[in-house]
Amino acid sequence: MTDSDRGILTIVSGFAGSGKGTVMNKLISEHDNYALSVSATSRAPRPGEEEGKSYFFKTREQFEDMIADGMLLEYAEYVGNYYGTPKDFVFAMMDAGKDVILEIEMQGAMQVKEKYPDTLLIFLTPPSADEIYRRLKGRGTETDEVIAKRMKRACEESEYIKDYDFLVINDNINDCTDRVHNIIQSAHHTVSHESGFADMIKEELLGFNTIK
Ligand code: 5GP
């Protein structure tokens, strides 16, 4: 496999209530080139969440063992809980040519970008702060205290949007999913992703170079 056949590693972050989960599910169901990484977390499952599908649910001690054993590509604490990306799945899927998506928050995103600068960073946001609050409240799964913490965190996060490569406003789920898909597919044609091809054609052209 050449570098060009390798999948793209994409991080999608976004404010709480940005609709990341819905967009990711739509992307996976509409296209078969994506693999969505399942994170480990020490947070308690929400109603309807499934082990191994939504998250790998761990105790804090189990999570700390995963850190110590070097099993995580990145990890961060978010509103009092650990979240992290198991490493093996990500690399196996990229090697198999899948475009791997990590739906993670900003600190983790920056750790991955630092280690793998070719990572594509997309930030998803609802159209306004009112809408963020409305969506969090409407979900009905969090207490007012947790919602307040998540709103505060969103405010802190807004500082770091500029470190991302793309900003996508989720005002319509279909349009937003299409935009994310198009961005990731364009990344297959960056010069750095196609560097193997660029080297190959340079070699081929040298073979035609008969002028001294
Ligand atoms: P939630 O509790 O709403 O499922 O997720 C809270 C935040 O943690 C979200 O911003 C989500 O993107 C982020 N998150 C989920 N998995 C990971 C992970 O593996 N690593 C990091 N750094 N953040 C994660």
Side-chain angles (χ1 to χ4, degrees):
M1 167 171 290
T2 66
D3 276 359
S4 319
D5 300 324
R6 227 171 162 240
I8 301 287
L9 181 58
T10 301
I11 291 178
V12 176
S13 304
F15 295 130
S18 61
K20 285 170 298 194
T22 315
V23 171
M24 294 307 103
N25 288 336
K26 214 165 147 39
L27 207 58
I28 301 275
S29 69
E30 288 176 1
H31 308 277
D32 58 13
N33 56 300
Y34 293 113
L36 189 59
S37 158
V38 177
S39 297
T41 184
S42 64
R43 135 163 115 56
R46 291 189 192 124
E49 286 187 331
E50 282 178 52
E51 165 68 19
K53 214 164 168 204
S54 319
Y55 282 105
F56 297 106
F57 293 100
K58 307 283 177 195
T59 61
R60 284 188 78 83
E61 293 70 32
Q62 287 170 331
F63 196 101
E64 283 162 5
D65 285 345
M66 292 179 82
I67 300 171
D69 293 342
M71 291 168 72
L72 301 174
L73 180 62
E74 59 71 39
Y75 70 93
E77 275 206 77
Y78 178 94
V79 190
N81 289 301
Y82 281 127
Y83 294 83
T85 306
K87 205 188 255 179
D88 289 354
F89 174 87
V90 172
F91 295 124
M93 287 294 139
M94 283 172 72
D95 288 345
K98 293 279 187 190
D99 293 330
V100 178
I101 303 181
L102 313 184
E103 194 229 294
I104 67 177
E105 55 64 74
M106 290 183 155
Q107 297 169 62
M110 295 310 138
Q111 291 173 40
V112 178
K113 184 82 180 175
E114 177 115 8
K115 284 190 212 152
Y116 304 99
D118 282 347
T119 307
L120 182 63
L121 262 54
I122 302 178
F123 195 85
L124 224 65
T125 171
S128 67
D130 273 352
E131 187 64 18
I132 297 175
Y133 182 75
R134 209 182 57 78
R135 289 188 194 179
L136 271 177
K137 192 87 181 150
R139 197 149 77 181
T141 51
E142 263 99 359
T143 60
D144 283 350
E145 192 198 341
V146 171
I147 292 176
K149 282 188 186 160
R150 287 183 175 237
M151 289 303 289
K152 178 166 184 277
R153 177 66 183 233
C155 181
E156 290 159 8
E157 286 176 342
S158 61
E159 280 281 319
Y160 297 95
I161 295 177
K162 57 184 184 316
D163 295 328
Y164 280 67
D165 301 310
F166 291 89
L167 176 67
V168 179
I169 298 166
N170 184 6
D171 45 7
N172 171 296
I173 206 81
N174 292 333
D175 293 350
C176 180
T177 308
D178 289 348
R179 269 181 234 137
V180 170
H181 175 64
N182 291 336
I183 291 167
I184 298 172
Q185 292 321 300
S186 307
H188 279 275
H189 307 290
T190 59
V191 171
S192 71
H193 196 72
E194 294 284 20
S195 63
F197 179 86
D199 290 344
M200 181 200 77
I201 202 156
K202 183 176 154 204
E203 278 301 314
E204 287 179 3
L205 285 166
L206 278 171
F208 280 87
N209 196 351
T210 53
I211 302 171
K212 295 283 168 226

